[in-house]
């Protein structure tokens, strides 16, 4: 009984699996960018409300809890926007494999099928690792930005209790 295995099929399946993983990780990068953008959009509403609630204090001496809350909201806003911008800042797009035409032939064409498979698989795995590292950093920045958004909302709710606008309504 011949136990020879069609390695071409196995290689194709493995490479397809890795390239599918690469595509999914790359899409998650876009999802993180979308989340950071939505956090920045939500914060603009909070800043507008903060301005509205703090407007009676303009020209007057603001102190105590109200001053602390306004400064907290603005500080959290600035930090959040900075982190969100860093998280969506353009980064290098990682391409799997060598992008030089001459090196492509040296690494993939003028070698054995085994060496080509090993090189392609290695390139794909390296790209996956780079994207995962980028996504991990981006996810941390988005989480911190979301936490700062929650702090802004909490401080805004407290500010509502101290605003003369609310008292006069």
């Amino acid at each position: 009984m011949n136990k020879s295995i069609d390695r071409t099929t196995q290689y194709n399946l493995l490479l397809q699996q890795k390239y599918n993983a690469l595509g999914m990780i790359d899409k998650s990068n876009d999802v993180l960018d979308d989340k950071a953008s939505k956090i920045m959009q939500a914060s603009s509403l909070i800043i507008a409300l903060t301005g509205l609630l703090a407007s009676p204090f303009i020209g007057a001496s603001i102190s105590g809890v109200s001053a602390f809350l306004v400064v907290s909201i603005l500080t959290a806003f600035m930090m959040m926007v900075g982190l969100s911008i860093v998280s969506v800042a353009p980064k290098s797009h990682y391409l799997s494999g060598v992008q030089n035409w001459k090196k492509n032939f040296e690494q993939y064409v003028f070698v054995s099928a085994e060496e080509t498979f090993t090189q392609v698989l290695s390139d794909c795995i390296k790209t996956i690792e780079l994207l995962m590292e980028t996504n991990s950093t981006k996810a941390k920045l988005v989480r911190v930005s979301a936490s700062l958004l929650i702090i802004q909302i909490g401080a805004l709710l407290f500010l509502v209790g101290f605003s003369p606008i609310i008292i006069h309504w």
Side-chain angles (χ1 to χ4, degrees):
M1 183 170 183
N2 187 357
K3 290 191 176 187
S4 67
I5 298 173
D6 179 17
R7 290 193 175 207
T8 304
T9 302
Q10 289 176 320
Y11 291 169
N12 287 338
L13 287 172
L14 181 59
L15 289 175
Q16 186 63 44
Q17 177 192 43
K18 294 302 174 193
Y19 281 114
N20 287 342
L22 183 62
M24 290 187 315
I25 292 167
D26 196 37
K27 285 180 187 175
S28 70
N29 190 313
D30 293 336
V31 169
L32 289 167
D33 285 347
D34 289 343
K35 287 181 180 181
S37 297
K38 287 177 183 171
I39 288 170
M40 286 191 289
Q41 290 170 354
S43 69
S44 64
L45 176 63
I46 291 171
I47 286 302
L49 290 172
T50 302
L52 175 69
L53 294 172
S55 63
F57 297 113
I58 295 175
S61 151
I62 183 171
S63 63
V65 176
S66 296
F68 174 75
L69 292 172
V70 169
V71 170
S72 296
I73 291 171
L74 294 175
T75 302
F77 171 77
M78 291 170 54
M79 290 171 55
M80 185 200 63
V81 168
L83 291 173
S84 295
I85 288 171
V86 169
S87 75
V88 297
K91 301 218 178 354
S92 298
H93 289 282
Y94 301 112
L95 300 173
S96 186
V98 178
Q99 305 310 312
N100 179 301
W101 188 252
K102 184 179 177 184
K103 289 185 180 184
N104 272 325
F105 276 89
E106 291 171 1
Q107 291 185 357
Y108 303 114
V109 179
F110 300 137
V111 295
S112 71
E114 288 281 330
E115 291 172 307
T116 299
F117 170 75
T118 303
Q119 185 62 49
V120 169
L121 184 60
S122 174
D123 292 341
C124 186
I125 290 171
K126 285 178 189 173
T127 305
I128 288 171
E129 289 170 350
L130 287 170
L131 280 172
M132 287 178 69
E133 184 179 318
T134 298
N135 285 355
S136 176
T137 302
K138 190 175 283 207
K140 288 175 188 172
L141 291 170
V142 169
R143 275 194 299 273
V144 172
S145 294
S147 299
L148 290 169
L149 179 64
I150 291 168
I151 289 169
Q152 290 175 61
I153 292 170
L156 182 65
L157 291 174
F158 279 110
L159 184 62
V160 166
F162 292 100
S163 176
I165 289 178
I166 302 301
I167 294 171
H168 289 108
W169 283 359

